[in-house]
Amino acid sequence: MEWRDEGVILSVRRHGETSSIAEILTAGHGRVMGLVRGGRSRQLRPVLQAGNAIQAVWRARLEDQLGTFTLEPLDLRAGAIMEEPFRLAGLATLAELSQLLPEREPHPRVYEALRVVLEAINQDHVWPALLVRWEMGLLDELGFGLDLSKCAATGSKENLAYVSPRSGKAVSEQAGEPFRDRLFRLPPFLKGSGAATATDIIDGLKLAAFFLERHIFEPRGMRLPEQQEWIIRKLAETPH
């Protein structure tokens, strides 16, 4: 069996003396793992870094085997990201959360959105808000998407200001005001209203984190990536 696809490297681990096992999120084949022969060589080590975009050829005798990768670089951005702790935390969060996707199940929307975030990763005033949107999309792809289209209490689509932690649905400002201490704030940029402030992004990351933990991490006995908490702390230091 053989296929060719573009993808983003999520993780790499050593295999034997000279090879590596790469985990790649591909456009058309989902999250796939494969052996890279000679992956520890001087030529391939710069390519086999999380965040790099590659063209991959996967081969195996049977479909359910690990298979082998032959890789060609498309966009080697990992080296520059690793020099910036804030951006590296964003990349690590993206890579770890992408590993929640079922293996070998295509999720083209998640993949395309991942590429969008990575293409903006050198713009610190842009990528954190894109990360929030990407996490919301990931929740949706995994079957736990939030309903931010109308108020859960009144059905109104106007003045949506909160999100219910119980239902994951939006709540209008008027309906939610008496219970505001028990609701999440809905950042305006998630409704398409204006640019995101640092406060908005923090609230968005906390909102996504709550539902990721509830539906995915806690049932598996896992914890949310520490890097996301670090991003929140870093943003909190930013003048609002």
Side-chain angles (χ1 to χ4, degrees), residues 7-9 51-55 72-77 111 115:
V8 172
I9 296 176
N52 282 342
I54 49 82
Q55 184 79 25
E72 300 174 10
L74 294 178
D75 190 347
L76 303 185
R77 61 171 60 87
Y111 172 78
R115 290 293 300 266

Side-chain angles (χ1 to χ4, degrees), residues 36 47 49 69 119-120 128 156 182 193 226 229 231-232:
V36 182
V47 177
Q49 301 290 333
F69 277 132
E119 286 166 7
S156 172
R182 287 177 274 173
S193 302
E226 293 181 3
E229 297 175 2
I231 292 171
I232 291 174

Side-chain angles (χ1 to χ4, degrees), residues 10-24:
L10 301 180
S11 69
V12 180
R13 70 173 186 265
R14 178 174 176 171
H15 183 78
E17 292 299 318
T18 62
S19 298
S20 302
I21 292 178
E23 181 180 22
I24 301 174

Side-chain angles (χ1 to χ4, degrees), residues 84 86-87 90 116-133 189 194-202 205 231 234-235 238-239:
E84 299 286 343
F86 187 52
R87 299 170 190 176
V116 169
V117 182
L118 289 174
E119 286 166 7
I121 200 74
N122 63 337
Q123 303 176 63
D124 292 339
H125 64 289
V126 174
W127 72 259
L130 294 177
L131 174 63
V132 175
R133 292 185 180 278
F189 79 97
T197 66
T199 298
D200 291 337
I201 296 168
I202 290 170
L205 287 172
I231 292 171
K234 189 71 174 177
L235 287 168
T238 304

Side-chain angles (χ1 to χ4, degrees), residues 114-239:
L114 174 67
R115 290 293 300 266
V116 169
V117 182
L118 289 174
E119 286 166 7
I121 200 74
N122 63 337
Q123 303 176 63
D124 292 339
H125 64 289
V126 174
W127 72 259
L130 294 177
L131 174 63
V132 175
R133 292 185 180 278
W134 182 85
E135 291 187 8
M136 292 295 181
L138 179 66
L139 277 166
D140 190 57
E141 286 287 304
L142 293 173
F144 304 108
L146 309 187
D147 182 0
L148 307 180
S149 62
K150 60 184 179 181
C151 176
T154 66
S156 172
K157 297 182 179 181
E158 303 298 325
N159 299 319
L160 302 178
Y162 306 102
V163 178
S164 166
R166 183 177 61 84
S167 67
K169 296 181 178 181
V171 180
S172 69
E173 184 173 11
Q174 182 176 3
E177 189 62 26
F179 316 101
R180 61 182 302 172
D181 292 340
R182 287 177 274 173
L183 301 172
F184 286 105
R185 175 177 174 264
L186 175 57
F189 79 97
L190 287 181
K191 302 179 293 179
S193 302
T197 66
T199 298
D200 291 337
I201 296 168
I202 290 170
D203 287 343
L205 287 172
K206 288 181 177 179
L207 177 63
F210 176 84
F211 289 98
L212 284 167
E213 285 186 315
R214 169 190 281 181
H215 294 300
I216 301 166
F217 284 96
E218 289 181 0
R220 301 183 187 187
M222 301 166 59
R223 284 180 53 84
L224 195 75
E226 293 181 3
Q227 295 88 346
Q228 175 140 336
E229 297 175 2
W230 188 86
I231 292 171
I232 291 174
R233 292 197 299 270
K234 189 71 174 177
L235 287 168
E237 299 170 2
T238 304

